[in-house]
Amino acid sequence: MGFRHLIDFGDLTRAQWERIYSRAEEIMDHPADYLDACRGRLEASLFFEPSTRTNFSFQTAMLRLGGTVFGFADPKSSSTAKGETLKDTIKMVSAYSDVIVMRNPREGAAKAASLYSEVPVINAGDGGHMHPTQTMADLTTITRLRGSVDGITVGLCGDLKNGRTVHSLIKALAKFEGIKFYLISPRELAIPEYMRIFMRERGMWFAEVTGMEPVIPMLDVLYMTRIQRERFIDPLEYERNKGIYVLSRRKLERAKPEMMVLHPLPRVDEITVDVDDDPRAQYFEQARYGMYARMALLTDLANQGHQKPEPVEICTKPVCSNPNCITRTEGGYLPALVKKIGGRDCCGYCDKELK
Ligand code: CP
């Protein structure tokens, strides 16, 4: 596929994504040809945060390819609970495995892990930052069911501040032509500034709105998201915003007959169950397509072999002010990485502007 780690969908080219999609289609249509594609390969599954779809679809993906899986779904059962650093955990696990799939509550954790790993690292969600393999599930669903992604109008609805799936999807859709976004959120939960700069820099069309119903008739895809309770520092802010958007069968009456309703799941109350049987509701299929996209990714990354990482400089002070950045907890050694976004200096782990 032409890359080693998958940290941020924005790092991939459209051609690289198309190769993954085309492999995913081959696997869907001819699964028997891939029964041994990862025979003898070991996937390390490091889930420092809860998951149903990502964890199980990565595990089943590897098992369906003939490989095996080990790991944890609760960091309390690992030496992290004794104070082991992420660096040391990754150095050890990468010595035992062929690919690492990691979810972590800290933004930029996957990037940090990739600096110390002998094997490819796949970001299975890093705090409220990015979730690139969810985006692979989203794009696979749209492409398989609609034929193409170019030219669609997408409504992204809910917690756009903390919703990592939304950030990754915007980065991915920047690679397609003629995409329009309606960003539907309360002002408190609007898209982060680094994402707004990203879209402006690329001349992407977007409108930020607070109401879902007025824009529904314009949409080809309505991407609902949960208000991410676990990311709120102030519980009152969560109470103010929970239940703010609810998609019901009645609201769907004004939508195009072919509009697709997607949701990365889990849902709480933002889609009523009477929508589930509407032919436009594709969120359960989307989760199934996610497994095929992950299988396609593993056929390449799990077979790349071991490679010693380049030594990196030791930095003793965190440079980023984002309280959720990985440098706040692992800042005693991580090198200070800086990247330019819209001409501004931003954290090389979590993308937040460095002040
Ligand atoms: N979409 C998604 O990431 O779901 P899980 O949290 O269940 O993995």
Side-chain angles (χ1 to χ4, degrees):
M1 308 287 180
F3 58 94
R4 185 151 176 89
H5 304 289
L6 177 63
I7 308 302
D8 181 338
F9 202 107
D11 298 336
L12 303 190
T13 63
R14 180 165 170 169
Q16 283 171 326
W17 160 245
E18 284 172 351
R19 281 199 287 279
I20 295 167
Y21 178 72
S22 140
R23 176 73 54 86
E25 280 221 305
E26 270 174 49
I27 295 170
M28 283 186 251
D29 297 337
H30 306 284
D33 293 352
Y34 288 86
L35 292 175
D36 292 319
C38 286
R39 179 76 55 205
R41 299 287 170 253
L42 270 165
E43 171 186 314
S45 174
L46 310 185
F47 277 71
F48 293 82
E49 256 194 349
S51 166
T52 296
R53 278 144 292 274
T54 314
N55 188 357
F56 294 148
S57 66
F58 260 118
Q59 292 197 39
T60 50
M62 190 49 140
L63 295 171
R64 282 169 185 264
L65 295 167
T68 44
V69 183
F70 71 96
F72 57 78
D74 179 354
K76 289 198 201 86
S77 68
S78 79
S79 285
T80 303
K82 301 177 208 160
E84 185 165 65
T85 61
L86 182 66
K87 172 183 174 177
D88 289 2
T89 302
I90 293 296
K91 281 185 82 69
M92 294 319 311
V93 171
S94 76
Y96 303 145
S97 63
D98 298 295
V99 65
I100 294 176
V101 176
M102 185 180 82
R103 170 169 291 186
N104 193 289
R106 288 275 159 190
E107 299 182 10
K111 174 70 189 175
S114 71
L115 300 177
Y116 305 104
S117 179
E118 287 180 29
V119 298
V121 172
I122 300 175
N123 184 3
D126 59 333
H129 183 223
M130 295 290 157
H131 193 349
T133 66
Q134 177 61 47
T135 302
M136 294 186 173
D138 306 340
L139 294 182
T140 300
T141 309
I142 298 170
T143 314
R144 184 84 168 170
L145 298 181
R146 196 180 176 277
S148 72
V149 176
D150 291 312
I152 56 172
T153 298
V154 183
L156 299 170
C157 181
D159 184 351
L160 307 189
K161 176 182 173 191
N162 300 302
R164 56 193 173 198
T165 63
V166 165
H167 309 158
S168 280
L169 184 56
I170 292 173
K171 286 211 168 175
L173 290 177
K175 299 173 195 308
F176 292 83
E177 304 296 325
I179 306 293
K180 284 186 171 179
F181 285 114
Y182 286 97
L183 305 176
I184 310 157
S185 74
R187 286 191 181 86
E188 282 181 293
L189 302 182
I191 202 88
E193 187 57 18
Y194 70 85
M195 287 304 309
R196 214 174 271 125
I197 294 168
F198 174 89
M199 287 189 280
R200 287 201 190 110
E201 202 175 33
R202 283 155 186 80
M204 295 168 76
W205 192 100
F206 67 97
E208 294 190 72
V209 299
T210 52
M212 173 174 68
E213 286 177 71
V215 302
I216 281 185
M218 265 94 81
L219 304 178
D220 300 304
V221 174
L222 173 57
Y223 194 94
M224 296 297 293
T225 63
R226 174 175 68 90
I227 308 295
Q228 310 262 312
R229 184 172 56 185
E230 67 277 25
R231 309 275 176 234
F232 285 77
I233 294 163
D234 175 3
L236 290 177
E237 193 186 11
Y238 173 71
E239 291 298 321
R240 273 197 302 278
N241 290 294
K242 72 175 185 190
I244 194 160
Y245 300 111
V246 179
L247 179 67
S248 61
R249 191 92 175 215
R250 186 190 59 72
K251 289 181 191 163
L252 266 184
E253 282 169 14
R254 299 184 62 235
K256 293 180 188 173
E258 69 282 7
M259 187 189 81
M260 206 181 278
V261 181
L262 299 182
H263 190 311
L265 304 177
R267 78 172 142 184
V268 181
D269 54 7
E270 57 281 354
I271 302 180
T272 56
V273 290
D274 61 357
V275 174
D276 294 356
D277 296 324
D278 188 290
R280 290 167 286 195
Q282 295 294 349
Y283 29 91
F284 294 117
E285 275 299 278
Q286 178 187 1
R288 197 174 67 87
Y289 285 131
M291 181 184 70
Y292 293 110
R294 290 173 176 124
M295 285 173 82
L297 186 65
L298 288 172
T299 58
D300 183 57
L301 297 195
N303 282 306
Q304 287 195 8
H306 285 234
Q307 213 172 281
K308 288 272 178 216
E310 292 293 319
V312 289
E313 171 195 338
I314 295 170
C315 180
T316 52
K317 281 198 219 132
V319 292
C320 182
S321 59
N322 170 10
N324 298 320
C325 181
I326 189 66
T327 60
R328 307 304 296 181
T329 49
E330 306 278 334
Y333 61 89
L334 286 175
L337 299 184
V338 179
K339 62 162 98 156
K340 290 274 185 204
I341 302 179
R344 304 178 198 192
D345 283 343
C346 295
C347 175
Y349 298 93
C350 74
D351 290 340
K352 294 275 158 54
E353 188 173 358
L354 297 170
K355 306 268 186 199

